[in-house]
Amino acid sequence: MSKSFAQIPQAVNEEVKSYAPGSPERAQLLDAYKKMFNEVTEVPQYIGSEEIFSGNKKEIRPPHDHQKVVGYFHEGTQEDVKKAIDTALAAKEAWVAMPWEDRAAIFLKAADLIAGPYRAKLNAATMIGQSKNAMQAEIDSACELIDFLRFNVQYMTEIYADQPISSPGIWNRVDYRPLEGFTFAITPFNFTAIAGNLPSCMALMGNVVVWKPSDKQTLAAKVTMEVFKKAGLPDGVINMILTSGAETAKTVLEHPDFAGLHFTGSTKVFNTLWKQIGDNIDKYRTYPRIVGETGGKDFVMVHKSACPTEVAVGLVRGAFEYQGQKCSAASRAYIPSNLWNEVEKQMKEMLATVTLGSPEDFSNFMTAVIDKNSFEKSKAYIDRANASSEAEVVIGGTYDDSVGYFVQPTVIKATNPKYESMVEEIFGPVLSVYVYDENEFEATLKLVDETSAYALTGSIFAKDRAAVEFASKALKNACGNFYINDKPTGAVVGQQPFGGARASGTNDKAGSAMNLLRWTSVQTIKETFVPAKDYKYPFLEK
Ligand code: NAD
C-alpha cells in the first residue's frame, strides 16, 4: 500500500496521425490491414482466465466485401453468461482491494499499448469489421479510446480528491466505493472507443464487469481484450461474452447482484432494458445505476447570414463521414431560402468528388454501411422519398449491395418539415433538408426543437451574433452537444463531454467525471475526535 499522494501524468489528447502518402503509419496500417484481411481470426469469449472457443462459429464478413469471410466469433450460451457473472463476482474482492494507483497504471498502460504497438492492429480490425476508412478508424479506435483511458484516470483522481469540509473537532471524508455487485456493459457496433470505454471506465472505478459487445464489432473487441490483458488487467475484472443481447439481458437483469447498466445503442433497446430492470426491481440488493446513450436525429440550423461554403462542408462531413453511422451525424438540416441554391450547388460539387469503396483504398472518403439491414433501411427511405409528394431526392439516391453494402451519399429535400426522414433516425448516409423562408428564423427554431424525440447534437451556422445567441436559447434543450459554426460530430474527450437527453439518453457524458461518478457509491465518514460525555445540551439547563 503506497504511503504518498501519487500524481498521475497530465492527460493530453492523443495526436491524430495523418496517414499521408509516404508516412510510416500508412505503411504499418496497410500491412496490418492486409494481414488481418487475409487471415481467419477466431474470436473467443473471455471469461476469467479462459478464452472460450465454443465451436458455435458465426462468420465475420467485412461490410464492404460481404462475400469474404475474415473470421468467426464463437457464440456463447446463457451458461456462459452465468459463468461470467460468477467469475466477475469472484474477482471483486481483490480488485476492490487493489490500490487506485495500480488500477490507474493498468489503464494508462493500455492507452500506451494502443498508442504504440497495437495502434495499427486495432485500427485495421475497425476498418475491416466496421468498414471505417483509415482516418475514421484512427480518430475512433486509436485516439478516442486512448483519450478515454487517459482522461478517465485523471477524472478518477479528481473525484477521489473531492472531499467535504470539516469543522473543529470533526474530520469528514467521503469514500468513493465501487458499486456493490457486478456491472453490465452493452456496446454498439459503431465505435471501437465506446466499446472499450464502457466496460473499462467502470472497472477503473473498482467495479467488475460483464461486457457484451455488438456482434458486428467482435474483431476490434477481441483486440481490445488483448490490450487489457497485456496491460495487466486481472482475470475476471472484465469478462467479454458473445451472446444474444435479448437473452443475455434477461439472465443478467434477473441477478440479485446486478448493480449497474452502461449501455450505448438504440433508444428502442435501451427502453426495453429499462423496463426489464423495473420489472426486476424487487430482486436486487441495491438500486442499479442505469446509464444509456442512445439514438439521435441531429440537426444543422442555418441562419440567412451564414456562409454557404461553411454550411456545405459542415453538412458533407457531418452527414456522410462514416456513412452517417455516428449517433451525432447531421441528419436533418434547415436551410434559409436565400442560401439553398448555393448550398445545394456546392454540396453537389463536393459529393461528386466523393468515392465509395474498400477502406484499403485510402482515396475513399466513404465505405459501406454495416450490414444488410442497415442497407435496406437507407434504401427504403430513399425509395419512399422518390415516391413521395412531400419529398424529392436531390443528390445521390443510388445504392448497390453486389460487393459491399454501398449507399451513395443522399440528400432528400422535404417540403413537409415533419416528413418521416426529417424525424426518424436512419443511421445511414441520408441527409434530409427543409428549406424555410429566410424570414421565418424564429418559427423554424421552434420546429427544430419540436420535430424529433431525440436531443443529442445540433449546430447553428450564422455570422449574425444575435442569431447565434437567439438560437442558443431556443435550442437549449434540443441537444446535449451544441455546435456554433461547426458540424455536430467529432466530440473530443476532455474537450466536449458527449451525450444527449430526451430520447437520446441519460446524458451522463461519456469521457467526463460525471460519467465516472455513476459507477461509485459514496460512503460518507464523520469522525469525532473528542466525543461528548454528557447527553444534555446547554439549553436544557433551568
Ligand atoms: P443496437 O441498439 O442495435 O445494439 C446495441 C447493443 O445492444 C448491441 O451490443 C446489441 O447486440 C445489443 N442488443 C440488441 N438488442 C438487445 C436486447 N433486446 N437486449 C439487450 N441487448 C441488445 O445499436 P447499434 O446498431 O449497435 O448502434 C447504433 C445505435 O446506437 C444508434 O441508434 C446510435 O444513435 C446509437 N449510438 C448512440 C451513441 C451515443 O453516445 N448517444 C453512440 C453510439 C451509438
Side-chain angles (χ1 to χ4, degrees), residues 32 42 77 79 82 105 113 146 195 224 313 334 370 374 389 412 426 474 492 507 519 525 538:
E42 305 263 338
T77 63
E79 286 313 305
K82 288 179 193 149
L113 287 168
I146 294 165
T224 306
V313 170
Y334 300 79
I370 193 71
S374 170
S389 59
I412 295 173
I426 302 172
V492 175
N507 201 13
W519 313 116
I525 304 158

Side-chain angles (χ1 to χ4, degrees), residues 19 70 102 113 117 126 199 204 219 226 230 238 264 271 304 326 342 358 391 435:
Y19 297 89
V70 292
D102 297 280
L113 287 168
T126 303
L204 176 69
L219 214 50
E226 284 171 14
K230 184 115 184 162
I238 296 178
T264 300
N271 288 356
K304 63 184 176 186
K326 300 187 183 189
E342 190 55 29
S358 163
V435 180

Side-chain angles (χ1 to χ4, degrees), residues 184 186-191 194 212-216 243-249 263-267 269-270 272-273 276 292-296 325-328 425 427 454 456 498-500 504:
F184 184 30
I186 304 182
T187 56
F189 80 82
N190 66 336
F191 276 91
I194 295 176
K212 198 212 83 61
S214 164
D215 56 7
K216 290 166 248 166
T243 47
S244 130
E247 286 174 37
T248 305
F263 175 85
T264 300
S266 61
T267 304
V269 171
F270 186 52
T272 314
L273 295 168
Q276 281 175 266
E293 297 303 333
T294 57
Q325 298 172 118
K326 300 187 183 189
C327 46
S328 54
E425 183 180 53
F427 222 60
Y454 300 105
L456 190 51
F498 190 79
S504 291

Side-chain angles (χ1 to χ4, degrees), residues 13 144 147-153 155 158 193-194 197-198 201 262 293 491-499 508-516 519:
N13 290 115
E144 191 175 14
D147 287 352
F148 275 135
L149 294 164
R150 291 186 181 147
F151 278 86
N152 282 340
V153 167
Y155 298 137
E158 288 166 8
I194 295 176
N197 179 48
L198 265 51
C201 76
H262 204 182
E293 297 303 333
V492 175
V493 177
Q495 299 195 34
Q496 298 100 20
F498 190 79
D508 287 291
K509 299 291 187 203
S512 78
M514 292 171 259
N515 181 286
L516 296 190
W519 313 116

Side-chain angles (χ1 to χ4, degrees), residues 51-72:
E51 294 181 8
I52 301 177
F53 295 89
S54 68
N56 187 8
K57 296 194 332 182
K58 304 286 171 188
E59 287 171 346
I60 303 171
R61 294 165 181 253
H64 48 275
D65 190 354
H66 53 55
Q67 290 311 300
K68 167 92 181 161
V69 175
V70 292
Y72 300 90

Side-chain angles (χ1 to χ4, degrees), residues 74-113:
H74 287 252
E75 196 174 52
T77 63
Q78 291 313 295
E79 286 313 305
D80 294 322
V81 177
K82 288 179 193 149
K83 186 169 165 178
I85 296 171
D86 292 343
T87 306
L89 289 171
K92 191 173 171 71
E93 194 180 335
W95 184 239
V96 173
M98 186 178 278
W100 68 260
E101 294 93 331
D102 297 280
R103 282 190 266 123
I106 290 166
F107 291 110
L108 290 174
K109 178 166 178 166
D112 277 14
L113 287 168

Side-chain angles (χ1 to χ4, degrees), residues 40 56 99 106 117 142 305 330 418 490 510 526:
V40 175
N56 187 8
I106 290 166
S305 66
K418 300 275 176 84
K526 175 189 175 189

